[in-house]
Amino acid sequence: MGGGRAAKVRSVCVLSMSDPNNVSTAMPQDPSLLRDISSNQEEQRQTTPLIRALLPKISSRKRQLEVIMTVSWSVLVPLCSFGFLKEFRPSESFVTQYLIGPEKNFTKAQVNQDIYPVGTYSNLSLLVLVFLLTDWARYKPVIILEGLAGVVTYSLIIWGKDVPTIQVAEFFYGLFMATEVAYLTYIYAKCDKKDFQKVSGSVRSGILLGRFASGVTSQLTISLHFLTYHQLNYLTLAGVSLSVIVAAFLPSASRSIYFHRESSLQPEYNGACEDSGMSPPNNDQSLNCFMDLPLEGQESQAVQESSILSPKKPCRRILSDALQAMIDDFLSAYGNAHILKWSLWWASATCGYLQVTSYIQMLWQVTATQDQQLYNGVVDAAYTLIGAIATWFVGQHKMNLTRYSCPILTVCCLLQGTVLLISAGMVHLWVQYVLYIIFKILYHSTMVLASSEVAVSLKADSHALIFGFNMFIALCLQSIFTLAVAAKGGLELEIRSQFFVYGSYFVVLSVGFMLSIAIPAACNFFNCGTFAHKENKQPGIA
């Protein structure tokens, strides 16, 4: 009975929805049945808006899944694999011990003054050229070049016997580091901007996982006497060699930021828009129809339209347009006081960070006793893991840093300087290990804030230029630091004195940011006080 009654109600409701004019002829006379029909129609009227509201969300989720799946198989998997393999360098944790050990038998002065500075100078001299080459060649060739530079570097380290050969290896190591800009900016060209944060998190995870695996592998193989320092280099060589093979499978990018940018591009709208009887779309409609295509379809369509709408320009015109775009983006970015303030910290703090990480193993070597076991691999694995958690925590908490940026930078620089000053005079190796982990966590956590603050204030597509220029300034400062403190022809300080200088440098930075707070506050105070004093001296008006 109940089932037949419900079926009759549904049939009447369907009939009423399909043909409202026939409702009176189909309507039954039973009053209770009429009430059921009315309530059923009311439920349908309440449910229909909910379904209509959910349909766009379902469509959006489906589109996001399609984008993620497309990126995952064609871009994300090889990109994360490349990041993991290029960061899997177990020999890096003990490179100083290897160079001054019996396999190479270089002196500490040769490593400190003749070998390590070459990598710094090489990175600086190649960075601008590599950035331009990356944009012109559209990323993938330069990513492959990064892997090849790593292969050459560690091949020379393994089979090189004298200082000039290792210096050549350091030159290629500088190229290896400089070409990382292609890997870090490739994501801008291959992924949709609305998905960049998600995809970049996965890429960052691949890098951190490679570093963590590298530190654990190096420490376990050395502590358990499975491998020697020399044999660790073969694992590193295998990792960077595999990264070249993986890089070959990366999809080529059809556009870049400056030399191959898509200007004045009006994407062709989907046929569904025209078939629906709509008028030719405006920019927003065109973009929506264009976004209905898969990511690869968008890219291929953009290339076709670019070739149709933009005839080939002469090489001189392309260069002048690219240079003008760079100048415009540069002036627009650094004309913003907020970007300038965070960029100053970025460049100055990165200079000190790179200098510390380049020479920290030399400090550990001096501190360790004759037969003391080194745990450099444990330190690398620990700071990678803890640093990843700390940076994730910082990234998840939104903060308004416009007002509190200078206090945060002051405290951070002061803590980093204090940590380095304590390390310079410390005679316990494990305390130096812990202080080094704290130093790196402070840097990376603040760098998350700096990069996000700069990024949100930048115009679209200028991130790589500004980030690259900040790194260029950092390398210029590091080169001056290296030449003045460590390299031959400078002060040639011993390693503990060097770290005392590095700690003092961060303290000076903190004082500079503190003055940037105190001076405007003092000016405002005295201006207000002077104004109030003048008002008090004015005669009263009767």
Side-chain angles (χ1 to χ4, degrees):
M1 287 290 291
R5 185 183 182 90
K8 192 171 183 179
V9 169
R10 284 196 298 270
S11 66
V12 173
C13 291
V14 169
L15 180 59
S16 66
M17 292 176 65
S18 60
D19 190 0
N21 296 324
N22 294 331
V23 174
S24 60
T25 60
M27 192 70 70
Q29 301 302 317
D30 187 356
S32 61
L33 190 59
L34 286 173
R35 286 194 299 270
D36 291 341
I37 292 172
S38 300
S39 62
N40 194 292
Q41 289 178 337
E42 181 65 25
E43 290 177 0
Q44 287 183 350
R45 281 194 296 269
Q46 293 176 358
T47 307
T48 301
L50 178 62
I51 295 175
R52 289 175 179 172
L54 288 175
L55 281 176
K57 296 183 179 180
I58 296 172
S59 177
S60 175
R61 291 292 184 184
K62 181 181 177 182
R63 186 178 303 171
Q64 289 178 6
L65 182 61
E66 290 176 353
V67 170
I68 291 171
M69 291 300 294
T70 303
V71 172
S72 295
W73 290 112
S74 63
V75 178
L76 195 57
V77 170
L79 200 62
C80 290
S81 301
F82 178 83
F84 174 86
L85 291 170
K86 83 181 187 68
E87 293 297 330
F88 183 74
R89 305 194 298 269
S91 60
E92 293 260 314
S93 298
F94 298 96
V95 63
T96 299
Q97 287 70 31
Y98 172 64
L99 292 177
I100 65 177
E103 290 88 355
K104 298 300 179 185
N105 203 26
F106 298 131
T107 65
K108 293 179 182 178
Q110 287 176 319
V111 173
N112 193 22
Q113 299 170 7
D114 297 330
I115 295 176
Y116 282 168
V118 176
T120 301
Y121 304 147
S122 171
N123 194 354
L124 170 65
S125 61
L126 294 171
L127 185 63
V128 175
L129 178 63
V130 165
F131 173 78
L132 297 176
L133 179 63
T134 296
D135 199 86
W136 178 78
R138 288 177 282 197
Y139 308 101
K140 180 178 176 179
V142 183
I143 294 176
I144 296 175
L145 177 62
E146 180 181 2
L148 292 174
V151 172
V152 175
T153 297
Y154 291 101
S155 297
L156 290 174
I157 288 177
I158 291 172
W159 290 290
K161 299 296 183 183
D162 52 10
V163 171
T165 304
I166 305 302
Q167 286 177 327
V168 174
E170 280 291 311
F171 172 82
F172 280 98
Y173 184 75
L175 176 62
F176 179 72
M177 299 304 294
T179 47
E180 191 176 27
V181 67
Y183 172 74
L184 296 176
T185 55
Y186 173 85
I187 200 76
Y188 287 96
K190 291 303 297 181
C191 299
D192 196 87
K193 291 177 184 177
K194 63 184 176 59
D195 300 302
F196 175 71
Q197 184 175 355
K198 303 174 186 176
V199 178
S200 61
S202 301
V203 173
R204 180 68 177 169
S205 299
I207 293 175
L208 293 175
L209 184 60
R211 292 178 182 174
F212 179 78
S214 175
V216 171
T217 301
S218 63
Q219 191 61 59
L220 287 177
T221 53
I222 292 299
S223 297
L224 299 176
H225 305 288
F226 288 158
L227 297 175
T228 64
Y229 294 147
H230 178 72
Q231 291 167 338
L232 284 178
N233 287 283
Y234 290 102
L235 292 180
T236 301
L237 181 60
V240 294
S241 299
L242 288 174
S243 73
V244 177
I245 299 174
V246 171
F249 289 95
L250 285 170
S252 299
S254 62
R255 59 186 173 89
S256 61
I257 300 174
Y258 294 107
F259 288 100
H260 305 280
R261 67 194 314 172
E262 297 170 11
S263 58
S264 304
L265 184 61
Q266 293 291 338
E268 182 182 336
Y269 56 95
N270 213 341
C273 295
E274 186 175 5
D275 295 340
S276 62
M278 295 171 60
S279 59
N282 57 24
N283 289 340
D284 293 337
Q285 292 170 336
S286 172
L287 180 61
N288 290 335
C289 295
F290 180 65
M291 286 305 296
D292 285 338
L293 295 171
L295 190 60
E296 293 178 356
Q298 296 174 21
E299 188 173 352
S300 61
Q301 183 176 347
V303 174
Q304 293 173 3
E305 291 165 358
S306 177
S307 61
I308 293 173
L309 298 176
S310 302
K312 276 194 172 182
K313 297 179 182 179
C315 184
R316 182 179 300 176
R317 176 67 182 277
I318 293 175
L319 290 175
S320 64
D321 289 350
L323 180 61
Q324 185 60 48
M326 291 181 193
I327 293 174
D328 292 342
D329 288 347
F330 182 88
L331 295 177
S332 174
Y334 290 107
N336 186 323
H338 190 63
I339 294 177
L340 183 62
K341 177 169 44 181
W342 280 98
S343 295
L344 284 174
W345 177 87
W346 185 324
S348 55
T350 300
C351 160
Y353 171 82
L354 293 174
Q355 198 71 2
V356 169
T357 55
S358 297
Y359 291 92
I360 189 64
Q361 290 187 26
M362 189 68 68
L363 179 64
W364 293 340
Q365 183 67 30
V366 171
T367 304
T369 58
Q370 186 68 29
D371 299 325
Q372 187 172 3
Q373 174 76 43
L374 296 176
Y375 290 93
N376 300 359
V378 172
V379 175
D380 290 338
Y383 87 72
T384 300
L385 184 61
I386 300 173
I389 296 173
T391 52
W392 176 86
F393 179 81
V394 172
Q396 293 299 311
H397 288 75
K398 301 294 183 183
M399 292 177 283
N400 183 10
L401 299 177
T402 304
R403 183 177 180 182
Y404 300 105
S405 55
C406 281
I408 290 173
L409 298 179
T410 300
V411 173
C412 178
C413 290
L414 183 61
L415 290 175
Q416 287 178 297
T418 303
V419 163
L420 293 178
L421 289 174
I422 295 174
S423 296
M426 183 56 59
V427 295
H428 299 290
L429 183 61
W430 276 103
V431 177
Q432 287 183 341
Y433 282 156
V434 173
L435 292 174
Y436 179 67
I437 293 173
I438 294 173
F439 172 82
K440 298 202 75 168
I441 291 173
L442 285 171
Y443 171 80
H444 285 295
S445 299
T446 314
M447 180 56 74
V448 170
L449 300 178
S451 58
S452 62
E453 285 299 303
V454 172
V456 297
S457 304
L458 289 175
K459 61 182 290 189
D461 289 341
S462 62
H463 301 81
L465 174 67
I466 303 306
F467 289 4
F469 185 77
N470 289 345
M471 180 57 70
F472 175 74
I473 298 299
L475 291 173
C476 287
L477 294 174
Q478 188 195 6
S479 298
I480 296 172
F481 232 137
T482 302
L483 186 61
V485 175
K488 282 187 175 179
L491 297 176
E492 300 181 21
L493 299 177
E494 58 93 17
I495 193 64
R496 289 190 181 275
S497 299
Q498 285 186 41
F499 272 79
F500 181 81
V501 173
Y502 304 152
S504 302
Y505 169 76
F506 276 98
V507 172
V508 170
L509 287 181
S510 70
V511 171
F513 285 111
M514 190 183 302
L515 291 176
S516 70
I517 304 171
I519 292 176
C523 291
N524 291 335
F525 174 79
F526 286 114
N527 286 339
C528 293
T530 303
F531 181 74
H533 182 67
K534 288 181 179 180
E535 281 193 339
N536 292 333
K537 290 183 67 177
Q538 289 179 354
I541 299 176

